[in-house]
Amino acid sequence: MNLLNYFSIKTRMLALVLLPLIFASVLSGLEINTQHNHVQALNMVNHKIDFLQSLSKLNSSINNVREDLFNQSTNVDFAQLNSDIQQIEQQLPSSFSAQYTTEMQAWYESISEANKELPEIAVDGLNDWSTWINELQVQALNTLEKDRTNVSEEINRELAILYQLQWLSLWSIDEKWLISQLLLNRNNNELLNQLNTITERQQLLVERFIDISAKPEQVALLLDTFSDKAFEQSYQLRSHILKGEALAESTQQSLAAFSQRLNSIQYVVSTFSEQLTDNIHGEIQHSKNLILLFCIALLASLLCIGLIGANLYGRIINYLRHVIKTMSQIEETHDYSQKINEAGHDELSVFSSKLNNLINERHQNDKKILRAKSEAEKANQAKSSFLANMSHEIRTPLNGIIGMSDIMSSTKLTTTQKEYLQTIETSSQALLLLINDILDLSKIESGNLSITNTDANISEVIYDTLTIVLAKVVEKNLDLEVEIDADMPHLISLDEHRMRQVLMNLLSNAVKFTNKGSIKVVANASKDSAGYIDLTIHIIDSGIGIAKDKQQQIFSPFTQEDDTITRQFGGTGLGLAICKQLVELMGGTISIESVKGEGCCFTIALKSQIVTLDQPKDSQFNGLTAALISNNSELTEQLNKECQQQGFTLNYHYQSCFDLLQDKQAFDLLFIDSTCSTRDAIETLPELLQQKNIFTIAVNTPKEKRTLDNMDATITLPLLGNRFRNAIHNGIENRQLRQKQQPVPHGTDVETTEPVNIVVLIVEDNLVNQKVASLLIKQAGFDFIIANNGQEAFEFISTGESIHAILMDCMMPVMDGFTATEKIRAWENDNSLQRLPIIALTASVLDQDIQKCYQSGMDDYLAKPFKKEALLHKLKSLPKLAS
Ligand code: ADP
């Protein structure tokens, strides 16, 4: 049954219609064939009857001719005999089955030969000829009897009667012939014997009639005939002759009785023949009627099955098509006004109405779901805005705390005060982190956090993040290893900001939970043909590890491995939850492998599109010649590769400072592996080299970090990439600076420039924050002016007073920062003035608020609470303020 389901409904319906049609046709065909064969058999019987009649006609013609010849009549009718023989010839093929046709052909040859010989035969040879002819007739009748046809019992029985009558007629004719000869010669023993035999045979025939069980009317006809006077007379005559008694009547009279007897038998034969022929015709007609009936029945059933089948097929297939089409349209367009046609009164109509009910129900459910969704969205929105507001409100005072402690740390404090201040600092940073995490989580959960891909250099992202945790790594005396695939594409499409956040989280955890051993970052990339890479980043540590059964639950919010963790390491249990959601939003996965007590390996796997495969060749360091002092071959190889990346080569390699001083080669740049030489050697070497105008770069490992003040730049392994380039860049700049500082030759004018006072306008409504900003600005050596809201700021700017930059808070009474900025930009435009740099100071970290800053015309933004360095970095990166 299940197998049938592999065929379409269409195929099964076709089979359902066609198979009965085929069966009906085959069965009817077989029945029609049977009836056709029956008709053919009946026709053959008919031909046999005709043949029998012709045979009996031939018999009487033969008898007439031989009697005429015997009586030496002058008028012998050979013509009739010839025509009878010809008729026999014509009837032969259709009267016998193929099996007996050859036999009968031979028979016919013999009889026509006998016929041809007849005119030549003398009177005394007639008896022999008659015996020959008699044998041929017996043969013909025997063959007829043997050649049975497949017809009904009734017909076969009647045919048998007819054959018996034929035999009777044959023996009667023969008897007459013998008697007519015996009348002339009563003592011919041979003839008497023949007569005797014939008499016995006739006797046998009568008995056979009884065996055949003829019908009563047939028996009555036979009795009537046999009780005729002519029969009696002829029997008497035969008995006299056989007994050798004297005859009572004349020869002519006796023979006349025989002729009459023959006629009677002939009459019976033809009566039986006619009856049988009628019967046969009746049966033929019956069979033909049956054939016609079958044909009509077959046609009618074909027509009915065809019509009903076609109708059913059309109804079901069209209906299914209609249902599938309507359902698909509803699925695609959600247009529930579409309905399934319910026309008709069959089961499909009922089914349609049930389906329509279901569609209607789904419509109602959809409406309910949409309503619930919109309500949930509204609630979520409310939750998000509540969180955003809370975060804003907490950040504002936090800015005061962090800013003030920052300012305080640069004042003169006792050791205890410094320690207290450190606690304030750590606690406020932890609070800030918590607020950020909660805000992120809520943004992710409400679906408001969207991933924005930019062109990112993943190696730099890894190095940058490591740079941030490096201090902690050094503090805990851990080893740091980085392995980045040599085939890592230069730029890939990635949300760099979110990737940094994930890496930062994982690396901070790795450092936090590792007390000895190492931290390792491994980044691999495998390219595919469609221009994508499968990026995997492993963060491996040798820390406390996580028990197997806790490995999945640590990815849930506010979950830590166990309660001791908070006590021992702090934290909130939010970091990994955020990481997991962020990586999944980026289309990737994050997984963990860990053995308790041995360490953890967190793996980020994601697919990313390649933007640029190879790093563009940088020409700024072309032509630099460089040397290295190191006895570490691995480091030499690594630096060699990096130098080539930057467009120059490591020309000379020395094992120690001493080797270098022996050699008199000239070069521009010297890398010194700080682990390979004594501190003294390293400290004196730069001094010597500066005279030769060579700049020096110290190559440190985090653990071996030494303060090498007299070096032009420092590289901390394993952090290379942009840091390596910047180190060389700084080295070159320092060398140039040194050159400038060399004594100026006499007679050259030295340009002296008046120091310009830089004025920053602080627009802030919160008094504490006004104080924080103004103190920080002052510490940086700039002047400041304070405006309490946007309105004041705009009024101040529109007086045309000279200032260099504006720090603009966003949320303020009277006029907010966005409106103030728009007004200032419009005013600058109207007066064709240069744009003043405006940096937003905002306690909101919502993407839309940050976007709003840029849209209103601000140049940069700084999230509150901010640290002194961050503010100064922003201010100094403004072209006008850079010193
Ligand atoms: P938090 O670090 O603030 O507790 P996280 O979500 O980042 O929150 O981490 C959840 C928990 O997973 C941690 O408290 C700690 O139990 C476990 N964990 C995370 N990273 C590591 C690691 N590298 N080694 C051992 N345990 C870790």
Side-chain angles (χ1 to χ4, degrees):
M1 214 50 194
N2 284 343
L3 204 66
L4 279 180
N5 291 345
Y6 285 101
F7 297 97
S8 66
I9 300 257
K10 202 168 153 181
T11 319
R12 280 182 276 169
M13 292 283 297
L14 267 178
L16 197 67
V17 174
L18 288 182
L19 285 180
L21 284 181
I22 293 169
F23 283 138
S25 308
V26 169
L27 291 179
S28 307
L30 286 176
E31 190 52 42
I32 289 169
N33 191 37
T34 314
Q35 292 304 328
H36 176 72
N37 288 342
H38 189 51
V39 168
Q40 272 188 338
L42 289 171
N43 272 330
M44 171 127 8
V45 172
N46 233 348
H47 286 136
K48 277 199 168 108
I49 295 167
D50 289 346
F51 184 81
L52 265 183
Q53 269 176 352
S54 301
L55 200 65
S56 91
K57 237 168 113 192
L58 178 70
N59 274 353
S60 54
S61 297
I62 287 172
N63 197 37
N64 289 342
V65 169
R66 75 181 164 187
E67 276 181 0
D68 285 349
L69 284 175
F70 185 70
N71 297 331
Q72 296 184 336
S73 158
T74 46
N75 194 15
V76 184
D77 194 358
F78 284 113
Q80 180 62 41
L81 184 61
N82 284 339
S83 108
D84 287 347
I85 286 186
Q86 266 172 19
Q87 198 174 357
I88 286 268
E89 186 191 10
Q90 283 162 13
Q91 289 174 339
L92 252 187
S94 53
S95 310
F96 290 89
S97 61
Q99 194 185 349
Y100 294 100
T101 316
T102 5
E103 195 179 310
M104 286 311 288
Q105 284 295 345
W107 172 84
Y108 173 74
E109 308 272 293
S110 307
I111 204 146
S112 59
E113 201 183 316
N115 180 43
K116 273 188 214 136
E117 280 182 17
L118 188 57
E120 317 297 321
I121 288 172
V123 177
D124 50 358
L126 270 175
N127 204 24
D128 288 344
W129 184 85
S130 292
T131 317
W132 179 24
I133 269 297
N134 193 264
E135 277 169 11
L136 285 174
Q137 283 167 332
V138 168
Q139 186 193 348
L141 270 174
N142 274 335
T143 315
L144 271 173
E145 275 189 321
K146 272 193 289 175
D147 187 13
R148 291 180 69 83
T149 346
N150 187 18
V151 285
S152 67
E153 208 37 49
E154 168 76 13
I155 299 232
N156 265 331
R157 197 168 45 79
E158 290 193 1
L159 199 58
I161 294 174
L162 208 57
Y163 288 146
Q164 302 315 313
L165 286 172
Q166 196 62 35
W167 283 113
L168 193 66
S169 155
L170 180 66
W171 300 135
S172 298
I173 290 172
D174 239 28
E175 189 184 342
K176 189 189 169 202
W177 166 250
L178 284 177
I179 290 213
S180 62
Q181 282 180 87
L182 277 169
L183 283 176
L184 294 178
N185 184 4
R186 301 267 313 254
N187 298 324
N188 189 335
N189 277 338
E190 196 189 331
L191 292 177
L192 280 171
N193 280 344
Q194 284 182 16
L195 186 60
N196 237 335
T197 322
I198 288 171
T199 312
E200 281 166 19
R201 282 181 181 161
Q202 289 186 47
Q203 194 61 46
L204 267 173
L205 277 173
V206 175
E207 283 166 21
R208 267 211 237 162
F209 268 124
I210 297 157
D211 284 351
I212 288 169
S213 67
K215 286 183 196 159
E217 66 266 20
Q218 291 171 334
V219 176
L221 178 64
L222 283 175
L223 283 179
D224 258 9
T225 314
F226 292 152
S227 56
D228 191 79
K229 225 173 101 201
F231 273 78
E232 227 172 283
Q233 283 175 355
S234 64
Y235 289 155
Q236 271 177 13
L237 179 63
R238 183 177 65 194
S239 130
H240 288 313
I241 287 175
L242 284 175
K243 288 176 187 164
E245 292 167 355
L247 303 177
E249 291 159 333
S250 73
T251 318
Q252 284 309 316
Q253 276 174 329
S254 311
L255 286 177
F258 264 102
S259 295
Q260 205 175 336
R261 186 178 131 195
L262 276 181
N263 284 341
S264 297
I265 293 173
Q266 208 54 51
Y267 169 73
V268 174
V269 167
S270 52
T271 312
F272 269 82
S273 293
E274 271 167 29
Q275 276 179 5
L276 183 54
T277 316
D278 281 352
N279 274 354
I280 288 172
H281 279 149
E283 279 214 23
I284 288 180
Q285 198 50 47
H286 178 67
S287 286
K288 280 188 175 167
N289 286 347
L290 271 181
I291 291 178
L292 190 68
L293 198 72
F294 270 112
C295 285
I296 292 172
L298 178 65
L299 270 179
S301 58
L302 287 186
L303 209 68
C304 284
I305 296 177
L307 274 176
I308 297 173
N311 170 274
L312 201 63
Y313 177 84
R315 170 80 170 130
I316 293 179
I317 295 299
N318 288 339
Y319 179 76
L320 284 180
R321 272 201 206 121
H322 167 68
V323 171
I324 292 171
K325 194 174 156 206
T326 316
M327 292 298 226
S328 315
Q329 278 175 353
I330 293 176
E331 205 176 353
E332 276 165 26
T333 58
H334 290 269
D335 174 8
Y336 292 100
S337 64
Q338 302 195 48
K339 290 275 171 283
I340 290 166
N341 193 352
E342 291 180 21
H345 300 286
D346 52 12
E347 289 84 341
L348 293 182
S349 315
V350 180
F351 181 60
S352 301
S353 111
K354 298 281 170 209
L355 274 182
N356 282 336
N357 288 348
L358 273 182
I359 293 172
N360 208 15
E361 226 168 82
R362 183 175 157 172
H363 186 195
Q364 298 307 327
N365 284 344
D366 259 18
K367 274 198 215 158
K368 275 187 209 158
I369 291 170
L370 281 178
R371 216 175 301 131
K373 191 177 158 221
S374 108
E375 275 162 18
E377 273 170 359
K378 267 189 216 149
N380 224 338
Q381 202 76 39
K383 186 182 108 184
S384 297
S385 68
F386 169 75
L387 267 168
N389 287 339
M390 279 306 293
S391 142
H392 186 273
E393 293 312 313
I394 296 171
R395 271 162 201 279
T396 310
L398 205 56
N399 190 41
I401 302 171
I402 290 179
M404 276 306 179
S405 49
D406 209 4
I407 292 160
M408 210 164 134
S409 68
S410 48
T411 59
K412 215 165 170 250
L413 296 170
T414 64
T415 324
T416 327
Q417 281 170 333
K418 268 191 186 152
E419 212 174 281
Y420 293 163
L421 201 61
Q422 185 62 40
T423 313
I424 296 176
E425 167 94 18
T426 323
S427 307
S428 25
Q429 284 304 338
L431 183 58
L432 186 60
L433 213 69
L434 180 67
I435 295 167
N436 283 346
D437 278 355
I438 291 179
L439 207 63
D440 269 348
L441 199 70
S442 107
K443 271 203 268 182
I444 293 171
E445 282 180 353
S446 62
N448 281 336
L449 195 138
S450 57
I451 292 295
T452 319
N453 284 351
T454 52
D455 298 348
N457 182 327
I458 192 72
S459 314
E460 287 308 319
V461 173
I462 294 172
Y463 286 136
D464 285 351
T465 324
L466 281 169
T467 314
I468 302 172
V469 295
L470 191 65
K472 267 264 178 253
V473 172
V474 174
E475 189 184 297
K476 292 182 102 173
N477 203 20
L478 301 171
D479 282 332
L480 181 65
E481 288 171 62
V482 184
E483 269 176 32
I484 295 177
D485 200 331
D487 288 338
M488 183 65 77
H490 176 57
L491 291 178
I492 57 174
S493 177
L494 193 77
D495 189 330
E496 186 179 318
H497 171 62
R498 295 299 173 188
M499 188 49 131
R500 276 176 198 274
Q501 193 178 346
V502 172
L503 285 177
M504 187 62 210
N505 233 308
L506 295 178
L507 278 167
S508 320
N509 277 351
V511 179
K512 182 159 85 169
F513 295 109
T514 307
N515 292 324
K516 63 172 191 310
S518 65
I519 310 284
K520 186 173 179 183
V521 180
V522 182
N524 290 318
S526 65
K527 278 173 252 175
D528 66 11
S529 51
Y532 281 81
I533 54 161
D534 285 316
L535 176 70
T536 44
I537 303 176
H538 307 278
I539 286 118
I540 307 161
D541 65 59
S542 59
I544 60 168
I546 302 169
K548 194 109 204 132
D549 57 328
K550 298 283 165 56
Q551 286 177 7
Q552 285 317 309
Q553 69 195 47
I554 51 163
F555 289 103
S556 308
F558 300 105
T559 318
Q560 296 183 315
E561 193 193 355
D562 55 50
D563 296 343
T564 57
I565 297 285
T566 336
R567 261 177 273 135
Q568 218 179 322
F569 300 95
T572 55
L574 280 175
L576 286 181
I578 294 172
C579 286
K580 182 174 156 62
Q581 309 247 31
L582 285 179
V583 173
E584 281 171 3
L585 276 175
M586 286 192 261
T589 55
I590 185 164
S591 56
I592 176 179
E593 274 172 53
S594 173
V595 176
K596 185 78 188 154
E598 289 182 20
C600 287
C601 171
F602 283 90
T603 304
I604 303 166
L606 52 87
K607 224 180 185 42
S608 176
Q609 197 177 8
I610 301 173
V611 179
T612 320
L613 202 57
D614 296 317
Q615 183 176 353
K617 282 271 173 259
D618 198 341
S619 60
Q620 72 166 316
F621 303 133
N622 277 359
L624 268 188
T625 45
L628 164 71
I629 308 176
S630 172
N631 52 11
N632 180 340
S633 59
E634 212 177 297
L635 173 71
T636 314
E637 201 182 314
Q638 201 178 2
L639 280 186
N640 213 352
K641 246 195 245 162
E642 285 294 320
C643 292
Q644 274 165 11
Q645 270 291 327
Q646 302 302 332
F648 65 97
T649 39
L650 205 54
N651 304 73
Y652 309 106
H653 178 212
Y654 304 104
Q655 294 291 327
S656 67
C657 297
F658 181 71
D659 284 356
L660 174 95
L661 292 171
Q662 296 291 303
D663 201 37
K664 297 273 184 279
Q665 297 293 352
F667 46 83
D668 305 301
L669 157 68
L670 174 68
F671 293 104
I672 307 171
D673 176 0
S674 56
T675 59
C676 83
S677 300
T678 60
R679 193 184 172 96
D680 283 351
I682 293 172
E683 278 188 348
T684 47
L685 193 63
E687 198 78 17
L688 293 170
L689 293 177
Q690 274 172 15
Q691 286 154 21
K692 288 195 191 173
N693 215 4
I694 293 171
F695 63 94
T696 47
I697 298 178
V699 183
N700 279 332
T701 59
K703 272 188 180 175
E704 298 289 335
K705 196 167 185 176
R706 298 183 189 173
T707 355
L708 296 167
D709 293 336
N710 50 351
M711 294 280 176
D712 291 313
T714 313
I715 297 167
T716 309
L717 288 176
L719 309 180
L720 297 164
N722 278 349
R723 274 141 293 274
F724 183 78
R725 204 185 45 226
N726 292 344
I728 302 169
H729 192 80
N730 289 347
I732 293 177
E733 274 189 350
N734 282 346
R735 179 170 70 165
Q736 283 164 354
L737 209 64
R738 272 203 310 273
Q739 280 170 344
K740 271 192 204 155
Q741 284 166 356
Q742 269 159 25
V744 186
H746 288 292
T748 318
D749 284 339
V750 183
E751 228 182 278
T752 46
T753 44
E754 267 292 307
V756 188
N757 254 2
I758 295 200
V759 186
V760 178
L761 175 65
I762 302 166
V763 192
E764 170 70 72
D765 60 321
N766 184 298
L767 279 180
V768 179
N769 286 341
Q770 279 180 3
K771 211 163 187 182
V772 171
S774 54
L775 283 170
L776 287 177
I777 298 261
K778 209 164 153 193
Q779 278 189 356
F782 303 137
D783 284 344
F784 64 87
I785 296 169
I786 289 179
N788 288 309
N789 55 49
Q791 182 67 36
E792 277 184 23
F794 174 64
E795 280 166 9
F796 180 78
I797 295 291
S798 51
T799 58
E801 202 64 47
S802 162
I803 54 159
H804 297 89
I806 305 175
L807 293 178
M808 178 79 81
D809 185 22
C810 292
M811 304 298 182
M812 287 176 292
V814 187
M815 185 189 283
D816 65 21
F818 307 119
T819 325
T821 309
E822 274 163 17
K823 289 191 131 198
I824 292 168
R825 292 298 179 223
W827 178 81
E828 284 170 348
N829 248 354
D830 293 347
N831 296 289
S832 314
L833 293 171
Q834 260 191 335
R835 278 167 68 102
L836 266 173
I838 304 179
I839 301 173
L841 295 179
T842 167
S844 167
V845 283
L846 294 181
D847 288 341
Q848 60 262 40
D849 286 349
I850 294 162
Q851 283 304 320
K852 217 167 148 191
C853 293
Y854 289 108
Q855 277 161 12
S856 64
M858 302 193 201
D859 301 298
D860 206 344
Y861 94 96
L862 191 61
K864 282 187 206 166
F866 48 81
K867 300 265 292 172
K868 182 169 132 194
E869 290 80 28
L871 176 66
L872 296 188
H873 178 76
K874 289 276 179 203
L875 284 174
K876 284 188 176 163
S877 61
L878 297 176
K880 280 192 176 175
L881 275 60
S883 54

